[in-house]
Amino acid sequence: MLSTREKELIAEIWGRLTPVAEDIGAEALLRMFATEPGSKTYFSHLDISPSSAHLRSHGKKIVLAIAEGAKDISQLAVTLGPLQTLHAYQLRIDPTNFKFFSHCMLVTLAAHMRNDFTPVAHAAMDKYLSAFAAVLAEKFR
């Protein structure tokens, strides 16, 4: 699905973004809440207002999980195993939200990376985030 160069590019991008994980993650979540208001229902117990500690903390967790998966994409299912179980059986998140979030993350990356988010980087990241969302949704089948 991904070439060796695409895998390297994805790992490089997430390595650079890890220091700003809270910013990237919170912004992507806010985009999802704005475009898919129904996704907010899973966060009713948290303060998800812009710049809130809960929003930034959860955003950081998501970005760090994405970055961890990018280190060895061939082992994505193993890396995400605990998150699959958590989201499917405990949190009972509708798996379509993973796709919504991946699209919002692409927009956020484009906004933050600007000219560094080349068409090649965009295509590679789209493939990776689609795979990430698909792996998270596997336990729902």
Side-chain angles (χ1 to χ4, degrees), residues 2 4-18 66-73 124-125 128:
L2 289 163
T4 301
R5 177 60 193 130
E6 288 173 322
K7 290 177 183 179
E8 290 169 355
L9 181 60
I10 290 164
E12 177 188 316
I13 289 170
W14 287 111
R16 282 189 289 153
L17 294 175
T18 300
I66 293 170
E68 186 64 29
K71 290 178 183 175
D72 187 359
I73 294 171
M125 193 60 69
Y128 172 62

Side-chain angles (χ1 to χ4, degrees), residues 30-104:
L30 284 173
R31 286 181 193 282
M32 184 176 72
F33 298 152
T35 57
E36 299 295 334
S39 63
K40 291 181 196 177
T41 61
Y42 299 104
F43 297 89
S44 61
H45 61 291
L46 299 176
D47 173 9
I48 55 171
S49 60
S51 299
S52 74
H54 288 137
L55 181 75
R56 293 181 62 77
S57 173
H58 194 69
K60 181 177 181 178
K61 286 179 192 176
I62 294 169
V63 169
L64 293 180
I66 293 170
E68 186 64 29
K71 290 178 183 175
D72 187 359
I73 294 171
S74 65
Q75 293 296 310
L76 198 55
V78 173
T79 302
L80 296 181
L83 289 176
Q84 287 175 323
T85 301
L86 174 70
H87 285 82
Y89 302 125
Q90 293 175 349
L91 301 175
R92 300 182 189 274
I93 305 295
D94 182 340
T96 57
N97 287 298
F98 304 136
K99 290 179 186 178
F100 295 150
F101 183 79
S102 69
H103 291 292
C104 293

Side-chain angles (χ1 to χ4, degrees), residues 119-132:
V120 172
H122 183 166
M125 193 60 69
D126 188 26
K127 288 183 204 178
Y128 172 62
L129 290 174
S130 293
F132 191 92

